[in-house]
Amino acid sequence: MNKRTRPGINTAQDCRQRQSFASELRTAYRLRWKRRRLLFRALRKRRQLSVVSDRTDQIGSRDLIAASTVRNEIARLPFFLSYYRKLGIDHFLFVDNDSDDGTREFLGKQPDVSLWATPHSYKLSRFGIDWLTWLQIKYAHGHWCLTVDADEFFVYPYHDERPLRELTNWLDANQTRSFGAIMLDMYPKGRLAENAYVPGNDPFETLCWFDADNYTFTYQPVLKNLWIQGGVRARRFFSDDPRRAPTLGKKPLVKWNRRYVYVSSTHSLLPRCLNDVHEETAGEMASGVLLHAKFLDSVVQRSAIEKQRKEHFANSEYYESYYDSVSANPCLWCADSVRYSDWKQLESLGLMSRGQWR
Amino acid sequence: MTDKTGDLGVILLVHTALDRASQVARHWAESGCPVVIHVDKDIAPKKYAGFVKSLSDLDDIRFSRRQRCEWGRWSIVGATQSAAELILQSFPDVRHVYLASGSCLPLRPIQELRSYLAQRPRTDFIESATTEDVPWTVGGLDIERFTLRFPFSWKRQRRLFDGYVRLQRKLRMGRRIPEGIVPHMGSQWWCLTRQTLSAILEDPKRKVYDRYFKRVWIPDESYFQTIVRLYSRDIESRSLTLSKFDYQGRPHIFYDDHLQLLRQSQCFVARKIWRHADLLYEEFLGNRDNPESRVEPDPSKIDRIFAKALECRTRGRTGLYMHSRFPKEGWENGLTSAPYSVFEGFSELFEGFENWLGRTTGARVHGHLFAPEKAEFAGGESVYTGGLCDSAAIRNNNPKALLANLIWNTRGERQAFQYGPDDTPDIRWFMAKDPNAQISVITGAWAVPLFHSNLNFSAIRTIAAERQKSESAFLDVLRSPYAKANVRVWTLAEFIEAPMVHLQTLIDEISPRAMRRLTEAPRMSDLAGFGQFLQNLKNHGMHPYLMGEFPKDDTNVQSGRPSVKPFVVK
């Protein structure tokens, strides 16, 4: 047979060939040290946190915990809190990164929120993860912990009927410790700044459009993780350089252990078995979606500020044109955008799955 | 009430959610059924005392001797036995004994169950099948459940458990099944008559059986199911309790949103119910004064739904790539979700081929989706269904994703696109291995636009050489033994001998139901002088061989010579 005619030559996306045992072992050992290094880093960063209101004594042994780093999110937080309280989150751990819009005062007043504050760099704290890791070590050990940003709203199968605890009970019964979600960038019809958002309202009343299926998946063998890109930001802002497009795969819900650590944002975890939220045979595992309420009207002004702060991407200079494009108040909607209705729609589009949870 | 009460006794095995168990026990007892409850010894004494107290106002409730029960082991059978002895002794009126758990929920009024049983006074409802005949077992242990020994706990000592099974297999160790019994298996939840149950419990060989079953794997699914075969006169081999299992053998849990489904099933009892499913408990335990119904249980709808769930978990949706379904190469169970057509050389040979194809077949016809400049979606759109972007950079970053997404997004509408030697080669293997792809190639047709072009001849020669090399590599892929696509290859010379015949074949395949004769043919490019053009290439040292044989002075290449059968690779 002609040697050119063997498959696999141009199918490099799939590199799940078996590694040799020795190299597997080497990788595992390297990652073990990486995990320890990251934990140690979180340990050092704890000094950057100062407590504003500590209500962690309220945390019961089986409580569901949410953890988040915020900066100037006074507009989104009222809805955020009511959304997650309704899902059944019992306690929130917040780190306030130098807000000046009243976020701190607002969160300090909430009865189920424990709040820490820090003026230090978000980027140098691995986008807030170091701070949260420390809080998770201290307070989330043995709990199901949802790590989300203030603009991410978790949608899982049956989220309108079954509280989050039912999902975690089911995951417990299946001996599953992490739950995957894809981040879905939601945008309005018309220009971004056209619809003024009233704090407390459902942001998805206006941000109700999304790109249904232009997502690409690449397997990362070292972390056993799926690298997901696509969506409206890849389509509109990164069509020339798609590898720079934002990563969309997340593992927001984890049965936390103090030895766990997020590697980059909440995209991947160590130990790497926690990244195993996709099925490698043909079946579907249960999974969810994070509705991303980034493109509210405020994003237009914020982008100009964030461009100056350079706190959001590892190589900020590559993202200047992205910030410029958003600052220009674009219209992201197109004729092929899909209007969001409910989780069943997302499932039938193939963006999430019930797996065997019926 | 039509019958006298107390003819149906209930054994409740309780190990968790005592509040719910107490609620259910009360429901049974208040409907006139004596209840014997076995509470797992793991429950703390204080909690147990509270549980007993919560039911102390009811007369017909007894508590059997507590044992520590572990899943998959003998203790569950032991607990059932002692509870059964107690119920037969304490309540002489009991005719049927129903085995249920604390997380079982009666779906229909108990009275209906009692009259159902009263009409079948000698029937034992117990699922009981021989191991050879059912594919239920999860984990590969079927008849071996009965012929190996299982002294270790599967939950706590998994390694020892597995290791000891392997060891026994290796050493061909086995044990004799006691004489006179044939191993049967089935659901743990049964409903037996007093006659049968007492015969099982008073069997003169019970000690032998008990000793044997103590080392059988999951005896609660086989002890009663096996021995009942010795004594029952009338076995109805099904469980009156609705319970579903997932593909790992764990029971499905019913939630509030299953309310309608459970109601429609008309089953008497269901398990497992989620302990916080307030709505279910409220609905089914509340006093419903519906007229008594005599319909047979019909769980077929629930069966269908859970069969679908199982398929979703094990086989998934064909052609879908997502964050919780990303099959390894070779495990896809279908690379794409629907058939599609790929044409190479057609739009070069025929003018307006894409429009013509769309009109004739009703398919959505794209240009070169993998062209170097951009993805040429139908209608020249820059964003296509699902938000697919025409950017070449995005596409080349992951060509498979573009094609798989396009086919997934447009389910229900046949897609067709052009491909050519200039296009991204990275997609070739994916298409070739995909049984959904219908790939038709006219080799060498790429020379036609060059022939009509206004380029310098040296430039033409370079391009021709590149395209010939590229197409030849594509043909190697299509002819490889790994190729699963439906492939047709003609040389240009072959094709133009009988173009209509070949087009008809393709069209029929795309829309088989139409079966129309082609009335309108696409216009073929003028090929007069093409032979001389090829000769000129040869004279410049570049041998074009993919077109087939063209005579040098071809004034009339479209003559109606007899057609040649298309060369079908697969």
Side-chain angles (χ1 to χ4, degrees):
Chain A
M1 191 179 72
N2 189 321
K3 80 175 194 310
R4 279 177 304 178
T5 56
R6 243 177 286 135
I9 295 168
N10 287 320
T11 50
Q13 258 98 37
D14 210 323
C15 36
R16 269 174 285 186
Q17 278 98 26
R18 269 180 84 102
Q19 306 282 313
S20 78
F21 182 66
S23 85
E24 272 288 301
L25 215 60
R26 247 194 327 272
T27 315
Y29 188 69
R30 192 164 58 78
L31 291 176
R32 184 181 173 80
W33 273 103
K34 178 167 184 172
R35 181 168 58 82
R36 292 172 163 188
R37 209 170 56 237
L38 292 175
L39 285 170
F40 181 64
R41 192 183 154 112
L43 209 66
R44 277 191 296 128
K45 290 279 162 73
R46 76 184 188 276
R47 295 177 206 286
Q48 299 183 350
L49 295 174
S50 57
V51 64
V52 178
S53 60
D54 184 352
R55 297 188 177 91
T56 49
D57 54 333
Q58 294 176 8
I59 299 177
S61 63
R62 285 175 43 75
D63 276 6
L64 297 173
I65 293 177
S68 180
T69 303
V70 291
R71 176 188 170 81
N72 290 346
E73 290 290 1
I74 189 70
R76 288 192 185 92
L77 280 172
F79 184 76
F80 177 90
L81 288 173
S82 76
Y83 182 87
Y84 284 110
R85 279 175 188 147
K86 219 165 88 192
L87 289 192
I89 295 289
D90 300 295
H91 200 86
F92 296 86
L93 305 175
F94 276 104
V95 173
D96 173 39
N97 183 205
D98 211 14
S99 299
D100 53 14
D101 67 345
T103 295
R104 186 175 305 181
E105 293 71 21
F106 174 77
L107 286 176
K109 279 186 292 191
Q110 304 300 317
D112 51 356
V113 168
S114 293
L115 176 66
W116 288 260
T118 178
H120 289 84
S121 165
Y122 179 70
K123 188 168 159 182
L124 290 179
S125 169
R126 295 194 299 126
F127 312 109
I129 290 298
D130 284 339
W131 300 323
L132 292 183
T133 304
W134 166 246
L135 296 180
Q136 284 164 332
I137 290 173
K138 252 186 117 175
Y139 304 111
H141 180 71
H143 293 270
W144 279 95
C145 182
L146 186 72
T147 311
V148 285
D149 288 341
D151 56 2
E152 293 170 351
F153 295 87
F154 184 46
V155 168
Y156 55 89
Y158 303 101
H159 72 106
D160 44 0
E161 292 156 325
R162 305 180 189 172
L164 191 56
R165 185 176 299 287
E166 296 191 39
L167 175 65
T168 57
N169 279 344
W170 181 77
L171 292 170
D172 275 332
N174 282 282
Q175 280 128 38
T176 310
R177 290 175 293 175
S178 59
F179 188 79
I182 186 173
M183 198 156 70
L184 207 57
D185 287 328
M186 308 295 287
Y187 48 84
K189 194 171 183 174
R191 292 190 174 276
L192 293 182
E194 223 162 74
N195 301 294
Y197 173 67
V198 181
N201 282 4
D202 182 352
F204 304 111
E205 279 168 15
T206 49
L207 306 186
C208 50
W209 300 88
F210 62 95
D211 282 17
D213 195 3
N214 52 7
Y215 301 91
T216 61
F217 303 88
T218 314
Y219 185 72
Q220 299 173 310
V222 173
L223 282 171
K224 300 191 172 173
N225 190 34
L226 266 188
W227 181 25
I228 308 174
Q229 293 179 300
V232 69
R233 282 187 283 172
R235 165 164 73 82
R236 281 300 299 270
F237 306 127
F238 297 92
S239 59
D240 298 329
D241 195 1
R243 295 182 70 83
R244 296 227 172 267
T247 306
L248 303 178
K250 294 211 163 189
K251 282 98 206 158
L253 186 63
V254 178
K255 176 80 175 270
W256 203 262
N257 183 297
R258 63 170 82 90
R259 306 298 298 167
Y260 294 170
V261 67
Y262 279 112
V263 180
S264 60
S265 179
T266 55
H267 303 307
S268 51
L269 284 142
L270 281 174
R272 54 183 174 163
C273 56
L274 296 171
N275 296 326
D276 187 15
V277 295
H278 62 274
E279 184 56 82
E280 299 198 342
T281 60
E284 291 172 30
M285 281 167 86
S287 58
V289 164
L290 283 174
L291 298 180
H292 196 200
K294 183 184 181 63
F295 293 112
L296 289 176
D297 52 336
S298 53
V299 74
V300 175
Q301 290 158 12
R302 265 183 103 127
S303 291
I305 302 168
E306 293 303 337
K307 184 183 169 188
Q308 298 303 318
R309 284 183 72 227
K310 300 191 178 176
E311 283 280 317
H312 277 273
F313 293 99
N315 301 304
S316 301
E317 61 273 25
Y318 288 109
Y319 293 88
E320 289 188 353
S321 71
Y322 161 62
Y323 284 127
D324 290 340
S325 314
V326 179
S327 305
N329 189 17
C331 171
L332 303 179
W333 188 86
C334 71
D336 289 304
S337 299
V338 176
R339 194 189 173 104
Y340 175 67
S341 60
D342 58 5
W343 67 267
K344 287 181 185 130
Q345 172 203 28
L346 297 181
E347 196 199 23
S348 70
L349 287 170
L351 287 163
M352 64 190 275
S353 177
R354 279 178 286 180
Q356 216 184 352
W357 196 39
R358 296 294 154 123
Chain B
M1 293 202 179
T2 49
D3 311 88
K4 69 179 166 59
T5 58
D7 52 352
L8 170 63
V10 178
I11 300 174
L12 276 188
L13 302 181
V14 176
H15 66 101
T16 171
L18 293 184
D19 51 334
R20 289 303 186 190
S22 146
Q23 204 179 343
V24 172
R26 177 170 295 276
H27 181 75
W28 285 107
E30 285 178 347
S31 314
C33 299
V35 180
V36 168
I37 303 177
H38 174 269
V39 180
D40 194 305
K41 209 169 182 184
D42 275 349
I43 303 278
K46 213 171 161 186
K47 275 190 174 173
Y48 177 65
F51 177 64
V52 173
K53 201 173 159 219
S54 75
L55 293 167
S56 57
D57 58 316
L58 295 162
D59 295 331
D60 286 348
I61 288 194
R62 303 279 185 280
F63 295 87
S64 66
R65 197 172 54 81
R66 294 170 71 196
Q67 302 189 25
R68 184 164 286 122
C69 291
E70 192 176 344
W71 181 82
R73 312 207 64 180
W74 170 258
S75 46
I76 300 185
V77 180
T80 313
Q81 281 177 334
S82 59
E85 279 162 357
L86 182 63
I87 203 167
L88 293 179
Q89 235 170 50
S90 324
F91 304 103
D93 288 342
V94 165
R95 196 186 56 239
H96 270 99
V97 175
Y98 200 110
L99 178 63
S101 84
S103 53
C104 288
L105 180 66
L107 302 183
R108 289 167 67 175
I110 308 295
Q111 186 51 39
E112 289 182 21
L113 173 59
R114 292 203 359 239
S115 24
Y116 187 85
L117 292 172
Q119 286 164 10
R120 299 160 179 80
R122 293 280 158 254
T123 309
D124 296 299
F125 294 91
I126 179 166
E127 196 176 48
S128 161
T130 55
T131 49
E132 294 93 65
D133 307 331
V134 286
W136 292 331
T137 50
V138 172
L141 291 166
D142 37 49
I143 187 66
E144 286 179 325
R145 288 176 179 216
F146 301 100
T147 58
L148 301 182
R149 288 176 177 80
F150 299 91
F152 299 110
S153 158
W154 187 79
K155 279 209 162 150
R156 288 179 288 117
Q157 305 158 306
R158 180 78 62 91
R159 283 190 174 181
L160 279 172
F161 181 95
D162 290 344
Y164 195 55
V165 166
R166 275 200 301 274
L167 183 74
Q168 293 179 81
R169 281 178 183 160
K170 207 166 199 174
L171 301 178
R172 314 229 167 153
M173 284 160 69
R175 53 194 306 222
R176 190 162 296 139
I177 298 169
E179 227 165 284
I181 59 170
V182 182
H184 281 67
M185 282 168 23
S187 164
Q188 180 190 352
W189 313 106
W190 44 249
C191 177
L192 298 177
T193 58
R194 171 182 282 270
Q195 269 195 15
T196 309
L197 186 57
S198 56
I200 292 174
L201 295 171
E202 291 158 11
D203 191 306
K205 284 171 78 183
R206 180 171 153 189
K207 273 195 173 150
V208 180
Y209 298 148
D210 285 8
R211 195 165 58 233
Y212 169 73
F213 275 100
K214 271 179 188 169
R215 289 283 177 268
V216 161
W217 174 231
I218 319 188
D220 49 301
E221 290 184 355
S222 55
Y223 179 83
F224 290 99
Q225 289 73 2
T226 301
I227 300 177
V228 75
R229 290 280 167 188
L230 300 178
Y231 294 107
S232 178
R233 285 183 284 165
D234 180 12
I235 289 185
E236 179 105 2
S237 181
R238 65 185 163 98
S239 172
L240 291 177
T241 303
L242 170 75
S243 62
K244 299 304 283 173
F245 293 89
D246 68 13
Y247 83 119
Q248 286 153 312
R250 274 185 295 266
H252 267 297
I253 295 174
F254 291 109
Y255 297 102
D256 279 346
D257 45 288
H258 290 119
L259 175 65
Q260 288 312 323
L261 209 57
L262 289 174
R263 203 174 263 163
Q264 285 165 12
S265 77
Q266 295 292 350
C267 290
F268 291 109
V269 178
R271 86 181 296 270
K272 272 171 115 163
I273 308 293
W274 188 54
R275 68 181 291 185
H276 299 293
D278 295 336
L279 183 66
L280 292 186
Y281 280 97
E282 203 174 295
E283 277 296 306
F284 290 117
L285 296 188
N287 281 326
R288 286 190 296 165
D289 23 65
N290 298 352
E292 191 173 318
S293 117
R294 289 180 180 272
V295 285
E296 276 284 325
D298 174 28
S300 56
K301 191 165 180 201
I302 286 198
D303 288 344
R304 273 200 304 278
I305 284 180
F306 285 96
K308 239 173 128 183
L310 182 71
E311 193 176 310
C312 169
R313 184 63 189 83
T314 53
R315 293 178 65 74
R317 286 172 276 181
T318 301
L320 172 65
Y321 297 83
M322 64 181 288
H323 59 294
S324 59
R325 181 186 197 267
F326 193 69
K328 288 188 276 200
E329 217 177 311
W331 288 78
E332 291 92 349
N333 175 28
L335 287 167
T336 51
S337 54
Y340 57 92
S341 306
V342 185
F343 294 95
E344 171 151 337
F346 287 74
S347 57
E348 284 75 14
L349 180 61
F350 297 104
E351 289 163 16
F353 174 73
E354 291 160 30
N355 286 335
W356 172 82
L357 187 66
R359 274 202 309 279
T360 330
T361 61
R364 182 68 48 152
V365 186
H366 304 274
H368 286 257
L369 279 185
F370 295 93
E373 300 81 29
K374 64 169 199 162
E376 296 170 358
F377 290 118
E381 293 194 42
S382 60
V383 181
Y384 202 68
T385 317
L388 293 171
C389 185
D390 68 348
S391 145
I394 290 189
R395 180 201 64 203
N396 292 348
N397 194 30
N398 198 337
K400 280 199 290 191
L402 177 87
L403 185 53
N405 282 343
L406 175 73
I407 304 298
W408 172 259
N409 291 345
T410 55
R411 281 159 293 162
E413 182 192 50
R414 175 87 178 203
Q415 305 293 309
F417 62 91
Q418 320 302 318
Y419 188 76
D422 296 341
D423 298 354
T424 308
D426 292 355
I427 195 63
R428 289 175 178 171
W429 273 114
F430 186 78
M431 296 192 300
K433 290 196 297 182
D434 184 4
N436 275 334
Q438 178 207 34
I439 305 177
S440 316
V441 184
I442 305 175
T443 63
W446 43 263
V448 178
L450 288 179
F451 166 57
H452 290 300
S453 79
N454 192 26
L455 292 170
N456 288 339
F457 200 75
S458 59
I460 289 177
R461 186 203 171 286
T462 317
I463 296 171
E466 277 167 8
R467 287 185 179 172
Q468 176 149 285
K469 201 171 152 195
S470 169
E471 184 160 82
S472 164
F474 186 37
L475 293 177
D476 284 345
V477 169
L478 294 181
R479 284 168 182 154
S480 113
Y482 297 101
K484 296 279 183 294
N486 173 11
V487 179
R488 283 192 177 74
V489 179
W490 300 269
T491 63
L492 181 58
E494 262 168 8
F495 195 88
I496 60 175
E497 276 174 7
M500 290 306 280
V501 177
H502 303 321
L503 286 175
Q504 182 78 52
T505 319
L506 294 176
I507 300 302
D508 288 349
E509 216 172 81
I510 293 175
S511 47
R513 265 167 299 168
M515 280 301 174
R516 267 171 298 156
R517 293 302 304 166
L518 284 178
T519 46
E520 178 203 359
R523 220 171 78 88
M524 203 191 285
S525 285
D526 182 14
L527 291 181
F530 189 64
Q532 182 59 52
F533 171 74
L534 295 182
Q535 185 58 48
N536 290 349
L537 280 174
K538 281 184 192 165
N539 295 345
H540 276 73
M542 189 264 153
H543 275 248
Y545 59 89
L546 287 174
M547 299 78 192
E549 284 307 314
F550 275 85
K552 210 181 94 184
D553 49 346
D554 47 351
T555 43
N556 188 12
V557 284
Q558 293 188 41
S559 63
R561 273 184 284 169
S563 71
V564 182
K565 278 265 173 220
F567 155 45
V568 180
V569 169
K570 188 191 156 229

